[in-house]
Amino acid sequence: MHLIPLPALTDNYIWLLHDSDGHAIVVDPGDAQVVEDALRTRQLQLRAILLTHHHLDHIGGAATLQHRYSIPVYAPADDRIACATHRVCDRDRIELGAPDVSFDVLSIPGHTLTHVGYVGAGLLLCGDTLFSLGCGRLFEGTPAQMLSSLDRLASLPGATLVCAGHEYTEANGRFANEVEPANHLLQSRLQQVAKLRANRQPTLPVALADELATNPFLRVDTEAVTEWCARRGVVGDRVARFAAVRAAKDSFRA
Ligand SMILES: [Zn+2]
């Protein structure tokens, strides 16, 4: 199976997955033209669309592609996603024939209330819930909901490749470095990210294990993040620590 992040709009990735027979699926096609171009260049046949949440930069091209190819569109049960043909719920399993791949659906609210992630083929397609070195903004959910969603993702095998919806890694890294300047794995990740971006290469996908070692939003139980919170007067439980890190990121400018 081949995995390709297609850059779209300002900083989105549309994830394209295809087999060697040319059968393809896309996740979060915010722009139909980007997908059409990729299909033509690689001589692929689009067989299905997976959507993680209702934001336009993730679903904007889905209706056009659905009409053109008459293919299933899997999406969470949310009226704001009108082009869905198959509504998915937590723990559903999607079995696709071609390409031959199946996905488990995880309900991961926080960024939006109906946000889902798809886990299969060693990949985690997580939309705007988990980013490299960051996590999504809490537009609809509470810190407790988002933390519980991130806990679910964190429990997946460490080798799982995180396929997030945006190229935010460099900016996220500047904030992560404020929280954990003494984290050596974070330092080497930042160097790797700087090199990739200098060459206009994607920083994704990234192994979940690497995120667990460097992403402050997955590290609220560590001594480093607990101490960072304490220095800012946050002494509550792990939800309070997560909320404090998220709020600090929201107002971080660097
Ligand atoms: Zn979003």
Side-chain angles (χ1 to χ4, degrees), residues 17 27 50 52 90-95 101-108 116-127 149 152-157 159-163 208:
L17 190 64
V27 182
L50 271 57
T52 63
D90 190 38
R91 298 178 194 282
D92 276 357
R93 191 173 176 81
I94 301 171
E95 313 255 8
V101 61
S102 32
F103 292 98
D104 292 312
V105 179
L106 293 185
S107 169
I108 43 174
V116 298
Y118 300 95
V119 179
L123 311 175
L124 164 63
L125 297 141
C126 52
S149 296
R152 289 188 79 182
L153 302 184
S155 72
L156 295 168
T160 305
L161 292 178
V162 177
C163 305
L208 179 62

PDB file of all heavy atoms in Angstrom, residues 17 27 50 52 90-95 101-108 116-127 149 152-157 159-163 208:
ATOM      1  N   LEU A  17      -4.266   7.012  -0.296  1.00  0.00           N
ATOM      2  CA  LEU A  17      -3.763   5.663  -0.050  1.00  0.00           C
ATOM      3  C   LEU A  17      -4.143   4.815  -1.259  1.00  0.00           C
ATOM      4  O   LEU A  17      -5.302   4.831  -1.681  1.00  0.00           O
ATOM      5  CB  LEU A  17      -4.443   5.120   1.211  1.00  0.00           C
ATOM      6  CG  LEU A  17      -3.948   3.828   1.841  1.00  0.00           C
ATOM      7  CD1 LEU A  17      -2.524   3.983   2.348  1.00  0.00           C
ATOM      8  CD2 LEU A  17      -4.859   3.449   3.017  1.00  0.00           C
ATOM      9  N   VAL A  27      -8.590  10.691   2.200  1.00  0.00           N
ATOM     10  CA  VAL A  27      -9.131  11.110   3.485  1.00  0.00           C
ATOM     11  C   VAL A  27      -9.113  12.634   3.528  1.00  0.00           C
ATOM     12  O   VAL A  27      -8.093  13.267   3.225  1.00  0.00           O
ATOM     13  CB  VAL A  27      -8.288  10.536   4.643  1.00  0.00           C
ATOM     14  CG1 VAL A  27      -8.887  10.931   5.989  1.00  0.00           C
ATOM     15  CG2 VAL A  27      -8.176   9.027   4.518  1.00  0.00           C
ATOM     16  N   LEU A  50     -12.996   9.033   2.944  1.00  0.00           N
ATOM     17  CA  LEU A  50     -13.203   9.019   4.390  1.00  0.00           C
ATOM     18  C   LEU A  50     -13.097  10.455   4.894  1.00  0.00           C
ATOM     19  O   LEU A  50     -12.165  11.175   4.505  1.00  0.00           O
ATOM     20  CB  LEU A  50     -12.122   8.169   5.082  1.00  0.00           C
ATOM     21  CG  LEU A  50     -12.369   6.664   5.260  1.00  0.00           C
ATOM     22  CD1 LEU A  50     -12.625   5.976   3.946  1.00  0.00           C
ATOM     23  CD2 LEU A  50     -11.177   6.017   5.973  1.00  0.00           C
ATOM     24  N   THR A  52     -13.110  12.996   8.423  1.00  0.00           N
ATOM     25  CA  THR A  52     -12.932  12.952   9.881  1.00  0.00           C
ATOM     26  C   THR A  52     -13.838  13.923  10.623  1.00  0.00           C
ATOM     27  O   THR A  52     -14.257  13.651  11.741  1.00  0.00           O
ATOM     28  CB  THR A  52     -11.477  13.281  10.280  1.00  0.00           C
ATOM     29  OG1 THR A  52     -11.156  14.629   9.868  1.00  0.00           O
ATOM     30  CG2 THR A  52     -10.496  12.294   9.654  1.00  0.00           C
ATOM     31  N   ASP A  90     -18.506   5.203  16.628  1.00  0.00           N
ATOM     32  CA  ASP A  90     -17.394   4.646  17.382  1.00  0.00           C
ATOM     33  C   ASP A  90     -17.393   3.115  17.298  1.00  0.00           C
ATOM     34  O   ASP A  90     -18.433   2.483  17.462  1.00  0.00           O
ATOM     35  CB  ASP A  90     -17.517   5.084  18.845  1.00  0.00           C
ATOM     36  CG  ASP A  90     -16.271   4.760  19.639  1.00  0.00           C
ATOM     37  OD1 ASP A  90     -15.167   4.899  19.091  1.00  0.00           O
ATOM     38  OD2 ASP A  90     -16.415   4.367  20.818  1.00  0.00           O
ATOM     39  N   ARG A  91     -16.237   2.561  17.050  1.00  0.00           N
ATOM     40  CA  ARG A  91     -15.990   1.110  16.987  1.00  0.00           C
ATOM     41  C   ARG A  91     -16.563   0.424  15.752  1.00  0.00           C
ATOM     42  O   ARG A  91     -16.526  -0.797  15.646  1.00  0.00           O
ATOM     43  CB  ARG A  91     -16.480   0.396  18.265  1.00  0.00           C
ATOM     44  CG  ARG A  91     -15.735   0.877  19.492  1.00  0.00           C
ATOM     45  CD  ARG A  91     -16.219   0.229  20.770  1.00  0.00           C
ATOM     46  NE  ARG A  91     -15.726   0.947  21.931  1.00  0.00           N
ATOM     47  CZ  ARG A  91     -14.500   0.848  22.422  1.00  0.00           C
ATOM     48  NH1 ARG A  91     -13.621   0.053  21.852  1.00  0.00           N
ATOM     49  NH2 ARG A  91     -14.133   1.538  23.470  1.00  0.00           N
ATOM     50  N   ASP A  92     -17.115   1.188  14.817  1.00  0.00           N
ATOM     51  CA  ASP A  92     -17.492   0.601  13.520  1.00  0.00           C
ATOM     52  C   ASP A  92     -16.227   0.116  12.824  1.00  0.00           C
ATOM     53  O   ASP A  92     -15.131   0.613  13.087  1.00  0.00           O
ATOM     54  CB  ASP A  92     -18.144   1.654  12.613  1.00  0.00           C
ATOM     55  CG  ASP A  92     -19.624   1.811  12.890  1.00  0.00           C
ATOM     56  OD1 ASP A  92     -20.150   1.073  13.740  1.00  0.00           O
ATOM     57  OD2 ASP A  92     -20.248   2.686  12.253  1.00  0.00           O
ATOM     58  N   ARG A  93     -16.419  -0.846  11.905  1.00  0.00           N
ATOM     59  CA  ARG A  93     -15.300  -1.292  11.088  1.00  0.00           C
ATOM     60  C   ARG A  93     -15.684  -1.118   9.620  1.00  0.00           C
ATOM     61  O   ARG A  93     -16.762  -1.539   9.203  1.00  0.00           O
ATOM     62  CB  ARG A  93     -14.985  -2.762  11.394  1.00  0.00           C
ATOM     63  CG  ARG A  93     -13.691  -3.225  10.801  1.00  0.00           C
ATOM     64  CD  ARG A  93     -13.383  -4.632  11.300  1.00  0.00           C
ATOM     65  NE  ARG A  93     -12.184  -5.137  10.671  1.00  0.00           N
ATOM     66  CZ  ARG A  93     -10.953  -4.847  11.062  1.00  0.00           C
ATOM     67  NH1 ARG A  93     -10.769  -4.053  12.097  1.00  0.00           N
ATOM     68  NH2 ARG A  93      -9.910  -5.347  10.429  1.00  0.00           N
ATOM     69  N   ILE A  94     -14.821  -0.449   8.882  1.00  0.00           N
ATOM     70  CA  ILE A  94     -15.049  -0.225   7.446  1.00  0.00           C
ATOM     71  C   ILE A  94     -14.168  -1.203   6.686  1.00  0.00           C
ATOM     72  O   ILE A  94     -12.951  -1.192   6.836  1.00  0.00           O
ATOM     73  CB  ILE A  94     -14.668   1.216   7.050  1.00  0.00           C
ATOM     74  CG1 ILE A  94     -15.485   2.228   7.839  1.00  0.00           C
ATOM     75  CG2 ILE A  94     -14.841   1.426   5.548  1.00  0.00           C
ATOM     76  CD1 ILE A  94     -14.998   3.658   7.656  1.00  0.00           C
ATOM     77  N   GLU A  95     -14.810  -2.076   5.902  1.00  0.00           N
ATOM     78  CA  GLU A  95     -14.037  -3.043   5.103  1.00  0.00           C
ATOM     79  C   GLU A  95     -14.113  -2.618   3.654  1.00  0.00           C
ATOM     80  O   GLU A  95     -15.186  -2.647   3.053  1.00  0.00           O
ATOM     81  CB  GLU A  95     -14.635  -4.451   5.248  1.00  0.00           C
ATOM     82  CG  GLU A  95     -14.944  -4.872   6.669  1.00  0.00           C
ATOM     83  CD  GLU A  95     -13.943  -5.882   7.213  1.00  0.00           C
ATOM     84  OE1 GLU A  95     -12.924  -6.123   6.509  1.00  0.00           O
ATOM     85  OE2 GLU A  95     -14.165  -6.397   8.315  1.00  0.00           O
ATOM     86  N   VAL A 101      -8.246  -2.958   2.352  1.00  0.00           N
ATOM     87  CA  VAL A 101      -7.832  -2.376   3.623  1.00  0.00           C
ATOM     88  C   VAL A 101      -9.079  -2.171   4.471  1.00  0.00           C
ATOM     89  O   VAL A 101     -10.168  -1.960   3.930  1.00  0.00           O
ATOM     90  CB  VAL A 101      -7.077  -1.039   3.376  1.00  0.00           C
ATOM     91  CG1 VAL A 101      -7.963  -0.019   2.680  1.00  0.00           C
ATOM     92  CG2 VAL A 101      -6.518  -0.458   4.648  1.00  0.00           C
ATOM     93  N   SER A 102      -8.932  -2.323   5.781  1.00  0.00           N
ATOM     94  CA  SER A 102     -10.068  -2.015   6.650  1.00  0.00           C
ATOM     95  C   SER A 102      -9.645  -1.029   7.730  1.00  0.00           C
ATOM     96  O   SER A 102      -8.475  -0.951   8.100  1.00  0.00           O
ATOM     97  CB  SER A 102     -10.666  -3.272   7.255  1.00  0.00           C
ATOM     98  OG  SER A 102      -9.701  -4.236   7.454  1.00  0.00           O
ATOM     99  N   PHE A 103     -10.645  -0.288   8.213  1.00  0.00           N
ATOM    100  CA  PHE A 103     -10.386   0.744   9.212  1.00  0.00           C
ATOM    101  C   PHE A 103     -11.343   0.581  10.384  1.00  0.00           C
ATOM    102  O   PHE A 103     -12.528   0.315  10.192  1.00  0.00           O
ATOM    103  CB  PHE A 103     -10.588   2.142   8.617  1.00  0.00           C
ATOM    104  CG  PHE A 103      -9.578   2.510   7.582  1.00  0.00           C
ATOM    105  CD1 PHE A 103      -9.875   2.365   6.230  1.00  0.00           C
ATOM    106  CD2 PHE A 103      -8.317   2.978   7.944  1.00  0.00           C
ATOM    107  CE1 PHE A 103      -8.936   2.697   5.264  1.00  0.00           C
ATOM    108  CE2 PHE A 103      -7.372   3.304   6.982  1.00  0.00           C
ATOM    109  CZ  PHE A 103      -7.684   3.167   5.637  1.00  0.00           C
ATOM    110  N   ASP A 104     -10.806   0.766  11.585  1.00  0.00           N
ATOM    111  CA  ASP A 104     -11.640   0.878  12.773  1.00  0.00           C
ATOM    112  C   ASP A 104     -11.914   2.355  13.006  1.00  0.00           C
ATOM    113  O   ASP A 104     -11.017   3.192  12.861  1.00  0.00           O
ATOM    114  CB  ASP A 104     -10.925   0.281  13.983  1.00  0.00           C
ATOM    115  CG  ASP A 104     -10.779  -1.222  13.854  1.00  0.00           C
ATOM    116  OD1 ASP A 104     -11.782  -1.880  13.523  1.00  0.00           O
ATOM    117  OD2 ASP A 104      -9.666  -1.735  14.056  1.00  0.00           O
ATOM    118  N   VAL A 105     -13.161   2.645  13.371  1.00  0.00           N
ATOM    119  CA  VAL A 105     -13.561   4.032  13.611  1.00  0.00           C
ATOM    120  C   VAL A 105     -13.445   4.324  15.105  1.00  0.00           C
ATOM    121  O   VAL A 105     -13.914   3.547  15.936  1.00  0.00           O
ATOM    122  CB  VAL A 105     -15.010   4.266  13.149  1.00  0.00           C
ATOM    123  CG1 VAL A 105     -15.439   5.698  13.431  1.00  0.00           C
ATOM    124  CG2 VAL A 105     -15.168   3.936  11.666  1.00  0.00           C
ATOM    125  N   LEU A 106     -12.805   5.434  15.421  1.00  0.00           N
ATOM    126  CA  LEU A 106     -12.710   5.884  16.802  1.00  0.00           C
ATOM    127  C   LEU A 106     -13.379   7.242  16.923  1.00  0.00           C
ATOM    128  O   LEU A 106     -13.065   8.165  16.169  1.00  0.00           O
ATOM    129  CB  LEU A 106     -11.248   6.053  17.229  1.00  0.00           C
ATOM    130  CG  LEU A 106     -10.341   4.846  17.348  1.00  0.00           C
ATOM    131  CD1 LEU A 106      -8.988   5.289  17.894  1.00  0.00           C
ATOM    132  CD2 LEU A 106     -10.967   3.814  18.278  1.00  0.00           C
ATOM    133  N   SER A 107     -14.313   7.357  17.855  1.00  0.00           N
ATOM    134  CA  SER A 107     -14.900   8.656  18.147  1.00  0.00           C
ATOM    135  C   SER A 107     -13.893   9.436  18.991  1.00  0.00           C
ATOM    136  O   SER A 107     -13.492   8.984  20.069  1.00  0.00           O
ATOM    137  CB  SER A 107     -16.208   8.445  18.906  1.00  0.00           C
ATOM    138  OG  SER A 107     -16.653   9.681  19.400  1.00  0.00           O
ATOM    139  N   ILE A 108     -13.450  10.589  18.487  1.00  0.00           N
ATOM    140  CA  ILE A 108     -12.436  11.372  19.210  1.00  0.00           C
ATOM    141  C   ILE A 108     -12.840  12.849  19.271  1.00  0.00           C
ATOM    142  O   ILE A 108     -12.244  13.703  18.622  1.00  0.00           O
ATOM    143  CB  ILE A 108     -11.021  11.207  18.573  1.00  0.00           C
ATOM    144  CG1 ILE A 108     -11.081  11.272  17.031  1.00  0.00           C
ATOM    145  CG2 ILE A 108     -10.392   9.897  19.020  1.00  0.00           C
ATOM    146  CD1 ILE A 108      -9.697  11.261  16.363  1.00  0.00           C
ATOM    147  N   VAL A 116     -14.154  11.999  14.156  1.00  0.00           N
ATOM    148  CA  VAL A 116     -13.722  10.601  14.261  1.00  0.00           C
ATOM    149  C   VAL A 116     -12.305  10.451  13.703  1.00  0.00           C
ATOM    150  O   VAL A 116     -11.815  11.305  12.954  1.00  0.00           O
ATOM    151  CB  VAL A 116     -14.654   9.620  13.489  1.00  0.00           C
ATOM    152  CG1 VAL A 116     -16.066   9.651  14.061  1.00  0.00           C
ATOM    153  CG2 VAL A 116     -14.647   9.899  11.990  1.00  0.00           C
ATOM    154  N   GLY A 117     -11.664   9.340  14.080  1.00  0.00           N
ATOM    155  CA  GLY A 117     -10.390   8.960  13.505  1.00  0.00           C
ATOM    156  C   GLY A 117     -10.539   7.576  12.887  1.00  0.00           C
ATOM    157  O   GLY A 117     -11.461   6.826  13.238  1.00  0.00           O
ATOM    158  N   TYR A 118      -9.668   7.246  11.940  1.00  0.00           N
ATOM    159  CA  TYR A 118      -9.703   5.947  11.268  1.00  0.00           C
ATOM    160  C   TYR A 118      -8.361   5.257  11.486  1.00  0.00           C
ATOM    161  O   TYR A 118      -7.307   5.852  11.227  1.00  0.00           O
ATOM    162  CB  TYR A 118      -9.966   6.125   9.772  1.00  0.00           C
ATOM    163  CG  TYR A 118     -11.289   6.811   9.465  1.00  0.00           C
ATOM    164  CD1 TYR A 118     -11.349   8.184   9.238  1.00  0.00           C
ATOM    165  CD2 TYR A 118     -12.478   6.082   9.418  1.00  0.00           C
ATOM    166  CE1 TYR A 118     -12.560   8.821   8.964  1.00  0.00           C
ATOM    167  CE2 TYR A 118     -13.690   6.703   9.145  1.00  0.00           C
ATOM    168  CZ  TYR A 118     -13.723   8.075   8.915  1.00  0.00           C
ATOM    169  OH  TYR A 118     -14.935   8.694   8.646  1.00  0.00           O
ATOM    170  N   VAL A 119      -8.414   4.002  11.953  1.00  0.00           N
ATOM    171  CA  VAL A 119      -7.199   3.249  12.245  1.00  0.00           C
ATOM    172  C   VAL A 119      -7.185   1.984  11.410  1.00  0.00           C
ATOM    173  O   VAL A 119      -8.096   1.154  11.489  1.00  0.00           O
ATOM    174  CB  VAL A 119      -7.140   2.859  13.748  1.00  0.00           C
ATOM    175  CG1 VAL A 119      -5.878   2.048  14.035  1.00  0.00           C
ATOM    176  CG2 VAL A 119      -7.178   4.104  14.624  1.00  0.00           C
ATOM    177  N   GLY A 120      -6.165   1.849  10.570  1.00  0.00           N
ATOM    178  CA  GLY A 120      -6.036   0.653   9.745  1.00  0.00           C
ATOM    179  C   GLY A 120      -4.777   0.723   8.916  1.00  0.00           C
ATOM    180  O   GLY A 120      -4.223   1.810   8.711  1.00  0.00           O
ATOM    181  N   ALA A 121      -4.294  -0.430   8.453  1.00  0.00           N
ATOM    182  CA  ALA A 121      -3.100  -0.516   7.620  1.00  0.00           C
ATOM    183  C   ALA A 121      -1.892   0.130   8.312  1.00  0.00           C
ATOM    184  O   ALA A 121      -1.001   0.666   7.662  1.00  0.00           O
ATOM    185  CB  ALA A 121      -3.349   0.142   6.248  1.00  0.00           C
ATOM    186  N   GLY A 122      -1.898   0.085   9.651  1.00  0.00           N
ATOM    187  CA  GLY A 122      -0.779   0.670  10.397  1.00  0.00           C
ATOM    188  C   GLY A 122      -0.825   2.189  10.471  1.00  0.00           C
ATOM    189  O   GLY A 122       0.132   2.817  10.913  1.00  0.00           O
ATOM    190  N   LEU A 123      -1.955   2.761  10.042  1.00  0.00           N
ATOM    191  CA  LEU A 123      -2.076   4.225   9.999  1.00  0.00           C
ATOM    192  C   LEU A 123      -3.141   4.711  10.973  1.00  0.00           C
ATOM    193  O   LEU A 123      -4.112   4.009  11.240  1.00  0.00           O
ATOM    194  CB  LEU A 123      -2.481   4.685   8.591  1.00  0.00           C
ATOM    195  CG  LEU A 123      -1.696   4.130   7.412  1.00  0.00           C
ATOM    196  CD1 LEU A 123      -2.321   4.591   6.102  1.00  0.00           C
ATOM    197  CD2 LEU A 123      -0.238   4.564   7.504  1.00  0.00           C
ATOM    198  N   LEU A 124      -2.954   5.928  11.446  1.00  0.00           N
ATOM    199  CA  LEU A 124      -3.992   6.641  12.179  1.00  0.00           C
ATOM    200  C   LEU A 124      -4.296   7.923  11.407  1.00  0.00           C
ATOM    201  O   LEU A 124      -3.426   8.792  11.274  1.00  0.00           O
ATOM    202  CB  LEU A 124      -3.508   6.999  13.595  1.00  0.00           C
ATOM    203  CG  LEU A 124      -4.345   8.066  14.322  1.00  0.00           C
ATOM    204  CD1 LEU A 124      -5.761   7.593  14.559  1.00  0.00           C
ATOM    205  CD2 LEU A 124      -3.667   8.471  15.624  1.00  0.00           C
ATOM    206  N   LEU A 125      -5.514   7.981  10.874  1.00  0.00           N
ATOM    207  CA  LEU A 125      -5.942   9.171  10.144  1.00  0.00           C
ATOM    208  C   LEU A 125      -6.782   9.980  11.112  1.00  0.00           C
ATOM    209  O   LEU A 125      -7.924   9.602  11.413  1.00  0.00           O
ATOM    210  CB  LEU A 125      -6.707   8.747   8.894  1.00  0.00           C
ATOM    211  CG  LEU A 125      -5.752   7.962   7.957  1.00  0.00           C
ATOM    212  CD1 LEU A 125      -6.432   6.799   7.294  1.00  0.00           C
ATOM    213  CD2 LEU A 125      -5.105   8.908   6.979  1.00  0.00           C
ATOM    214  N   CYS A 126      -6.187  11.041  11.653  1.00  0.00           N
ATOM    215  CA  CYS A 126      -6.792  11.669  12.831  1.00  0.00           C
ATOM    216  C   CYS A 126      -7.239  13.098  12.610  1.00  0.00           C
ATOM    217  O   CYS A 126      -7.546  13.802  13.580  1.00  0.00           O
ATOM    218  CB  CYS A 126      -5.848  11.577  14.019  1.00  0.00           C
ATOM    219  SG  CYS A 126      -4.205  12.191  13.674  1.00  0.00           S
ATOM    220  N   GLY A 127      -7.301  13.571  11.347  1.00  0.00           N
ATOM    221  CA  GLY A 127      -7.857  14.892  11.085  1.00  0.00           C
ATOM    222  C   GLY A 127      -7.183  15.971  11.914  1.00  0.00           C
ATOM    223  O   GLY A 127      -5.964  16.108  11.891  1.00  0.00           O
ATOM    224  N   SER A 149      -9.872  11.734  24.255  1.00  0.00           N
ATOM    225  CA  SER A 149      -9.643  11.326  22.866  1.00  0.00           C
ATOM    226  C   SER A 149      -8.156  11.067  22.615  1.00  0.00           C
ATOM    227  O   SER A 149      -7.782  10.066  21.986  1.00  0.00           O
ATOM    228  CB  SER A 149     -10.141  12.414  21.910  1.00  0.00           C
ATOM    229  OG  SER A 149     -11.537  12.565  22.025  1.00  0.00           O
ATOM    230  N   ARG A 152      -7.004   7.796  23.994  1.00  0.00           N
ATOM    231  CA  ARG A 152      -7.336   6.641  23.130  1.00  0.00           C
ATOM    232  C   ARG A 152      -6.300   6.496  22.027  1.00  0.00           C
ATOM    233  O   ARG A 152      -5.855   5.393  21.718  1.00  0.00           O
ATOM    234  CB  ARG A 152      -8.725   6.814  22.499  1.00  0.00           C
ATOM    235  CG  ARG A 152      -9.852   6.663  23.468  1.00  0.00           C
ATOM    236  CD  ARG A 152     -11.188   6.651  22.746  1.00  0.00           C
ATOM    237  NE  ARG A 152     -11.482   5.359  22.130  1.00  0.00           N
ATOM    238  CZ  ARG A 152     -12.572   5.109  21.415  1.00  0.00           C
ATOM    239  NH1 ARG A 152     -13.455   6.064  21.213  1.00  0.00           N
ATOM    240  NH2 ARG A 152     -12.784   3.914  20.898  1.00  0.00           N
ATOM    241  N   LEU A 153      -5.933   7.616  21.406  1.00  0.00           N
ATOM    242  CA  LEU A 153      -4.951   7.558  20.321  1.00  0.00           C
ATOM    243  C   LEU A 153      -3.595   7.114  20.867  1.00  0.00           C
ATOM    244  O   LEU A 153      -2.882   6.337  20.229  1.00  0.00           O
ATOM    245  CB  LEU A 153      -4.838   8.919  19.628  1.00  0.00           C
ATOM    246  CG  LEU A 153      -6.152   9.458  19.047  1.00  0.00           C
ATOM    247  CD1 LEU A 153      -5.893  10.763  18.299  1.00  0.00           C
ATOM    248  CD2 LEU A 153      -6.825   8.436  18.130  1.00  0.00           C
ATOM    249  N   ALA A 154      -3.259   7.590  22.062  1.00  0.00           N
ATOM    250  CA  ALA A 154      -1.955   7.272  22.656  1.00  0.00           C
ATOM    251  C   ALA A 154      -1.821   5.789  22.966  1.00  0.00           C
ATOM    252  O   ALA A 154      -0.705   5.281  23.090  1.00  0.00           O
ATOM    253  CB  ALA A 154      -1.752   8.098  23.926  1.00  0.00           C
ATOM    254  N   SER A 155      -2.945   5.092  23.093  1.00  0.00           N
ATOM    255  CA  SER A 155      -2.890   3.670  23.448  1.00  0.00           C
ATOM    256  C   SER A 155      -2.720   2.769  22.222  1.00  0.00           C
ATOM    257  O   SER A 155      -2.589   1.547  22.353  1.00  0.00           O
ATOM    258  CB  SER A 155      -4.151   3.274  24.226  1.00  0.00           C
ATOM    259  OG  SER A 155      -5.251   3.253  23.336  1.00  0.00           O
ATOM    260  N   LEU A 156      -2.694   3.348  21.033  1.00  0.00           N
ATOM    261  CA  LEU A 156      -2.458   2.549  19.818  1.00  0.00           C
ATOM    262  C   LEU A 156      -0.993   2.111  19.785  1.00  0.00           C
ATOM    263  O   LEU A 156      -0.155   2.683  20.486  1.00  0.00           O
ATOM    264  CB  LEU A 156      -2.793   3.392  18.575  1.00  0.00           C
ATOM    265  CG  LEU A 156      -4.272   3.796  18.428  1.00  0.00           C
ATOM    266  CD1 LEU A 156      -4.431   4.851  17.335  1.00  0.00           C
ATOM    267  CD2 LEU A 156      -5.142   2.583  18.143  1.00  0.00           C
ATOM    268  N   PRO A 157      -0.667   1.088  18.971  1.00  0.00           N
ATOM    269  CA  PRO A 157       0.742   0.650  18.902  1.00  0.00           C
ATOM    270  C   PRO A 157       1.679   1.797  18.514  1.00  0.00           C
ATOM    271  O   PRO A 157       1.329   2.641  17.688  1.00  0.00           O
ATOM    272  CB  PRO A 157       0.709  -0.422  17.797  1.00  0.00           C
ATOM    273  CG  PRO A 157      -0.703  -0.899  17.761  1.00  0.00           C
ATOM    274  CD  PRO A 157      -1.560   0.277  18.138  1.00  0.00           C
ATOM    275  N   ALA A 159       4.193   1.975  16.717  1.00  0.00           N
ATOM    276  CA  ALA A 159       4.634   2.041  15.314  1.00  0.00           C
ATOM    277  C   ALA A 159       3.579   2.647  14.394  1.00  0.00           C
ATOM    278  O   ALA A 159       3.855   2.914  13.222  1.00  0.00           O
ATOM    279  CB  ALA A 159       4.994   0.643  14.827  1.00  0.00           C
ATOM    280  N   THR A 160       2.373   2.879  14.933  1.00  0.00           N
ATOM    281  CA  THR A 160       1.304   3.467  14.113  1.00  0.00           C
ATOM    282  C   THR A 160       1.763   4.798  13.528  1.00  0.00           C
ATOM    283  O   THR A 160       2.321   5.641  14.231  1.00  0.00           O
ATOM    284  CB  THR A 160       0.049   3.716  14.989  1.00  0.00           C
ATOM    285  OG1 THR A 160      -0.326   2.494  15.618  1.00  0.00           O
ATOM    286  CG2 THR A 160      -1.110   4.240  14.146  1.00  0.00           C
ATOM    287  N   LEU A 161       1.528   4.983  12.236  1.00  0.00           N
ATOM    288  CA  LEU A 161       1.923   6.242  11.592  1.00  0.00           C
ATOM    289  C   LEU A 161       0.789   7.255  11.697  1.00  0.00           C
ATOM    290  O   LEU A 161      -0.334   6.996  11.247  1.00  0.00           O
ATOM    291  CB  LEU A 161       2.278   6.005  10.123  1.00  0.00           C
ATOM    292  CG  LEU A 161       3.541   5.175   9.880  1.00  0.00           C
ATOM    293  CD1 LEU A 161       3.760   4.977   8.383  1.00  0.00           C
ATOM    294  CD2 LEU A 161       4.760   5.843  10.520  1.00  0.00           C
ATOM    295  N   VAL A 162       1.086   8.386  12.311  1.00  0.00           N
ATOM    296  CA  VAL A 162       0.101   9.440  12.509  1.00  0.00           C
ATOM    297  C   VAL A 162       0.003  10.284  11.238  1.00  0.00           C
ATOM    298  O   VAL A 162       0.992  10.878  10.801  1.00  0.00           O
ATOM    299  CB  VAL A 162       0.495  10.340  13.701  1.00  0.00           C
ATOM    300  CG1 VAL A 162      -0.491  11.484  13.857  1.00  0.00           C
ATOM    301  CG2 VAL A 162       0.604   9.515  14.977  1.00  0.00           C
ATOM    302  N   CYS A 163      -1.204  10.299  10.649  1.00  0.00           N
ATOM    303  CA  CYS A 163      -1.460  11.077   9.435  1.00  0.00           C
ATOM    304  C   CYS A 163      -2.429  12.189   9.816  1.00  0.00           C
ATOM    305  O   CYS A 163      -3.645  11.983   9.848  1.00  0.00           O
ATOM    306  CB  CYS A 163      -2.074  10.190   8.359  1.00  0.00           C
ATOM    307  SG  CYS A 163      -1.097   8.715   7.979  1.00  0.00           S
ATOM    308  N   LEU A 208       3.729   7.201  16.086  1.00  0.00           N
ATOM    309  CA  LEU A 208       3.088   7.577  17.348  1.00  0.00           C
ATOM    310  C   LEU A 208       4.091   7.567  18.500  1.00  0.00           C
ATOM    311  O   LEU A 208       4.061   8.438  19.369  1.00  0.00           O
ATOM    312  CB  LEU A 208       1.915   6.626  17.634  1.00  0.00           C
ATOM    313  CG  LEU A 208       1.161   6.884  18.933  1.00  0.00           C
ATOM    314  CD1 LEU A 208       0.515   8.260  18.949  1.00  0.00           C
ATOM    315  CD2 LEU A 208       0.103   5.805  19.150  1.00  0.00           C
TER     316      LEU A 208
END
